[in-house]
Amino acid sequence: MAGSVAMARRVVADGIQTSAATPHLRADHPLVQPGELAERLAELRERLRAEEIPLEVVAGGEVDVFWAGRASDEELRLVSYGQAGRVLLLETPYGFLPDVFEELVADVVGRGLRVVLAHPERNETLQRSPDRLEELAQEGLLLQVNASSVAPGGPDAGAHRLARRLLRDGLVHVLASDSHSAGPWRPPDLGRGYESAKEDGEAQARWLVEDVPRALLDGGAIPSRPRAAPTRLSRLARRRPG
């Protein structure tokens, strides 16, 4: 609880008003039980009210695709955003991505859930084959990238390159903190990623951190993507005499 409260303070200091609590649902996290999430979240909300921390916390989970395949429909509902059974955050594996990954994702989608794919830019297989992500996005999958991947100077150059490419190509739907603690390990740092994403247009950056996340939580339609800001090269091209 102390760690959660400390992270909530850091999140609010970073300018965030709503945060999704997304514990890992996978084989190496056996203590995370879907049926306990609502009660634990209620305890956290009560503590945040007592501490006067102005943060709305929404239920959710970061779900391993193999765990999802074995889970019941009720378990998937309990780990969806707001436990509403509409939107599920699916974790991109870190290791080698098998050819059946797309089929496993399709099975989850086939169970009536809209799927958001977390941090695909960090996967080395996808860094080498970004066309697989383009195909998933074309099929309706929503892509979420980490703020730390978008901001320059991060530890993973491959993730940074792919995140910037996905942003440039208009394939990213959500920019997330993916924070795990108040610091120093993976603290909330959405602000830096947001500032970096503004290079492609402030309206689009705001769409990634406000408009789409709110639509997902409310169960509404995804708003239209704002037009990206023209690059410096395209601005120079328009100035060139005809």
Side-chain angles (χ1 to χ4, degrees), residues 19-31:
S19 184
T22 55
H24 289 290
L25 277 300
R26 63 190 194 204
D28 60 334
H29 286 69
L31 296 181

Side-chain angles (χ1 to χ4, degrees), residues 64-86:
D64 172 71
V65 69
F66 295 104
W67 186 96
R70 296 189 297 269
S72 67
D73 289 345
E74 176 63 7
E75 287 174 323
L76 290 180
R77 182 189 71 79
L78 290 173
V79 299
S80 66
Y81 282 127
Q83 298 189 323
R86 293 189 296 256

Side-chain angles (χ1 to χ4, degrees), residues 13 137 155 164:
R164 295 303 311 185

Side-chain angles (χ1 to χ4, degrees), residues 61-134:
E62 188 172 3
V63 182
D64 172 71
V65 69
F66 295 104
W67 186 96
R70 296 189 297 269
S72 67
D73 289 345
E74 176 63 7
E75 287 174 323
L76 290 180
R77 182 189 71 79
L78 290 173
V79 299
S80 66
Y81 282 127
Q83 298 189 323
R86 293 189 296 256
V87 183
L88 190 72
L89 181 66
L90 204 65
E91 183 175 31
T92 307
Y94 289 99
F96 170 76
L97 204 66
D99 292 338
V100 297
F101 178 70
E102 286 84 349
E103 182 179 340
L104 296 173
V105 173
D107 289 343
V108 178
V109 174
R111 296 173 70 175
L113 290 158
R114 167 169 270 177
V115 170
V116 179
L117 190 62
H119 55 69
E121 78 282 359
R122 299 184 65 187
N123 182 273
E124 292 185 2
T125 302
L126 295 176
Q127 290 174 12
R128 294 191 297 269
S129 303
D131 55 303
R132 294 176 66 174
L133 277 178
E134 295 173 8

Side-chain angles (χ1 to χ4, degrees), residues 28-228:
D28 60 334
H29 286 69
L31 296 181
V32 181
Q33 297 296 320
E36 298 178 357
L37 297 182
E39 180 179 355
R40 290 176 179 267
L41 180 57
E43 293 173 357
L44 176 59
R45 286 171 172 164
E46 181 60 32
R47 180 64 177 274
L48 296 182
R49 282 193 292 269
E51 299 279 349
E52 298 184 347
I53 300 174
L55 180 68
E56 176 189 3
V57 184
V58 178
E62 188 172 3
V63 182
D64 172 71
V65 69
F66 295 104
W67 186 96
R70 296 189 297 269
S72 67
D73 289 345
E74 176 63 7
E75 287 174 323
L76 290 180
R77 182 189 71 79
L78 290 173
V79 299
S80 66
Y81 282 127
Q83 298 189 323
R86 293 189 296 256
V87 183
L88 190 72
L89 181 66
L90 204 65
E91 183 175 31
T92 307
Y94 289 99
F96 170 76
L97 204 66
D99 292 338
V100 297
F101 178 70
E102 286 84 349
E103 182 179 340
L104 296 173
V105 173
D107 289 343
V108 178
V109 174
R111 296 173 70 175
L113 290 158
R114 167 169 270 177
V115 170
V116 179
L117 190 62
H119 55 69
E121 78 282 359
R122 299 184 65 187
N123 182 273
E124 292 185 2
T125 302
L126 295 176
Q127 290 174 12
R128 294 191 297 269
S129 303
D131 55 303
R132 294 176 66 174
L133 277 178
E134 295 173 8
E135 293 173 2
L136 285 169
Q138 290 171 1
E139 293 172 5
L141 205 70
L142 305 181
L143 304 186
Q144 173 177 297
V145 301
N146 289 354
S148 59
S149 298
V150 174
D156 190 336
H160 178 68
R161 285 193 296 270
L162 181 53
R164 295 303 311 185
R165 170 176 174 170
L166 294 172
L167 280 171
R168 183 181 65 247
D169 293 346
L171 297 177
V172 179
H173 301 86
V174 180
L175 185 64
S177 67
D178 196 15
S179 56
H180 282 55
S181 74
W185 181 60
R186 294 176 69 174
D189 201 12
L190 186 60
R192 285 187 66 242
Y194 171 72
E195 290 299 321
S196 183
K198 283 166 62 175
E199 296 175 8
D200 298 305
E202 185 170 358
Q204 180 171 244
R206 191 170 295 277
W207 184 81
L208 295 170
V209 300
E210 292 186 6
D211 300 344
V212 176
R214 179 52 62 187
L216 292 174
L217 295 182
D218 292 345
I222 302 298
S224 299
R225 183 189 301 271
R227 294 183 61 182

